[in-house]
Amino acid sequence: MDKEKSPVQCDLCPHKCNLSQNQTGFCGTRRNIDGKISSISYGQVTSLAVDPIEKKPLYHFHPGTAILSVGGFGCNMKCPFCQNYSISQQGIEVSQGYVSPEEMLEFARRAAVKAGSIGVAFTYNEPFLSYEYLLDVVPLLKADGQKVVLVTNGQICQEPLKAVLPYVDAMNIDLKVFSEDGYKWMGGDFKTAQNTIEMSVKAGVHVEVTTLVIPGINDDADMMSSEALWLSQLKKDIPLHLSRYFPRYKLKTGATPVETLYKMQEICKEHLEYVYLGNV
Ligand code: SF4
């Protein structure tokens, strides 16, 4: 078979999409173009704003500061309750334009002067999908003294993760549910999320973890206790954010009762020093 016409595997995330010529992967951001996996989200920006660092959420990393926050489009999970679906489940049509790595550095410098920003947070959608862009932009930011923050679902394979970690100062990583079945329902992989948390902590990156607590999905006392125990074995003082779910996108389940959040917090505190509630 002609090499250009053979399917090519993308090894960035556990989906390992096998893509034929001009076919786009599950995430909507990577395509087989002329026999090569190409990033169609390279430098495409959907949002650019200066946010308090606590909004990422990061509570133990330069508290009280602000950070330039950048988002693109696409996601390699398909959570029916996605709180950010207007960019994560869309294609390039939602992009507001192209920002080169050098221009991003300029934006970061300006945000530092004007708003006291400490660096750049790649957030709002899954940042690892713009992998080649990240690899181009984060060394520039680091060389300039900017902090690099990633807010991620952790769905990335180990090899590509290893290459980025030396440039990352802090991450908020989702641990959406503590089960294989739960991750499958959301289009993700449990073990990969665990690996990403583990590898990032071991690499010395400042890591905080977020779980969106959803009735009937992950508000089981035993499941939550197992999650907190596993995290505590990795790092006793890892901050865990339990965030309140509200109905969005395809899931119609009612909002998480505030009492459930308090109960989950109590359970997690049996193992972890820092358990915060969000959206309450
Ligand atoms: S990054 Fe996208 S194209 Fe690559 S394996 Fe994952 S879902 Fe498929």
Side-chain angles (χ1 to χ4, degrees):
M1 196 192 265
D2 182 340
K3 191 173 167 257
E4 284 187 6
K5 300 226 169 94
S6 317
V8 182
Q9 183 169 293
C10 174
D11 290 321
L12 184 60
C13 93
H15 285 289
K16 302 253 176 189
C17 298
N18 221 5
L19 303 175
S20 310
Q21 173 75 347
N22 291 326
Q23 190 183 357
T24 306
F26 179 83
C27 58
T29 70
R30 304 173 70 76
R31 185 176 293 160
N32 176 348
I33 300 174
D34 298 332
K36 194 172 165 275
I37 301 294
S38 301
S39 167
I40 56 173
S41 60
Y42 187 99
Q44 298 295 335
V45 169
T46 55
S47 356
L48 198 62
V50 177
D51 285 339
I53 193 93
E54 286 80 6
K55 212 175 154 189
K56 299 305 99 195
L58 288 173
Y59 283 12
H60 291 205
F61 183 76
H62 298 274
T65 59
I67 191 156
L68 180 66
S69 301
V70 183
F73 68 91
C75 191
N76 50 355
M77 290 185 74
K78 295 279 176 269
C79 305
F81 49 84
C82 183
Q83 310 280 298
N84 242 349
Y85 67 93
S86 59
I87 54 169
S88 74
Q89 303 300 324
Q90 303 296 326
I92 197 162
E93 66 280 358
V94 293
S95 173
Q96 299 294 311
Y98 172 75
V99 176
S100 72
E102 293 74 22
E103 285 168 330
M104 187 58 74
L105 174 59
E106 271 317 302
F107 278 126
R109 284 175 173 163
R110 259 185 264 155
V113 173
K114 282 192 177 167
S117 165
I118 60 168
V120 179
F122 296 89
T123 178
Y124 305 132
N125 78 312
E126 178 45 46
F128 280 120
L129 295 177
S130 293
Y131 185 70
E132 292 77 5
Y133 186 70
L134 267 188
L135 282 183
D136 287 347
V137 75
V138 292
L140 295 182
L141 294 170
K142 288 307 295 170
D144 197 59
Q146 308 277 340
K147 302 285 182 218
V148 171
V149 167
L150 301 180
V151 181
T152 172
N153 63 21
Q155 296 295 298
I156 178 163
C157 292
Q158 295 192 13
E159 284 308 310
L161 175 63
K162 258 189 228 160
V164 177
L165 284 179
Y167 300 101
V168 180
D169 296 288
M171 290 164 93
N172 187 298
I173 307 174
D174 281 343
L175 188 50
K176 290 179 185 277
V177 55
F178 206 67
S179 79
E180 278 293 358
D181 285 352
Y183 261 90
K184 255 188 210 141
W185 178 68
M186 301 174 198
D189 180 63
F190 179 41
K191 282 277 167 291
T192 302
Q194 286 185 299
N195 279 339
T196 299
I197 294 171
E198 200 170 338
M199 279 177 62
S200 306
V201 167
K202 287 186 176 158
V205 174
H206 173 84
V207 175
E208 303 193 17
V209 171
T210 295
T211 300
L212 183 74
V213 179
I214 307 168
I217 304 295
N218 57 5
D219 62 345
D220 176 81
D222 289 341
M223 184 191 275
M224 198 54 88
S225 178
S226 304
E227 173 177 330
L229 176 64
W230 180 78
L231 286 170
S232 72
Q233 286 165 345
L234 213 55
K235 200 169 183 281
K236 183 90 185 144
D237 61 353
I238 194 166
L240 173 63
H241 300 263
L242 300 177
S243 187
R244 188 181 185 203
Y245 147 91
F246 289 93
R248 294 263 191 293
Y249 196 36
K250 296 177 180 167
L251 197 67
K252 302 296 174 223
T253 307
T256 311
V258 175
E259 309 75 62
T260 306
L261 270 297
Y262 284 119
K263 189 176 148 208
M264 296 295 122
Q265 184 182 37
E266 216 171 282
I267 290 167
C268 293
K269 277 196 160 172
E270 286 171 16
H271 303 293
L272 291 168
E273 282 175 39
Y274 303 106
V275 185
Y276 300 105
L277 299 186
N279 294 340
V280 288

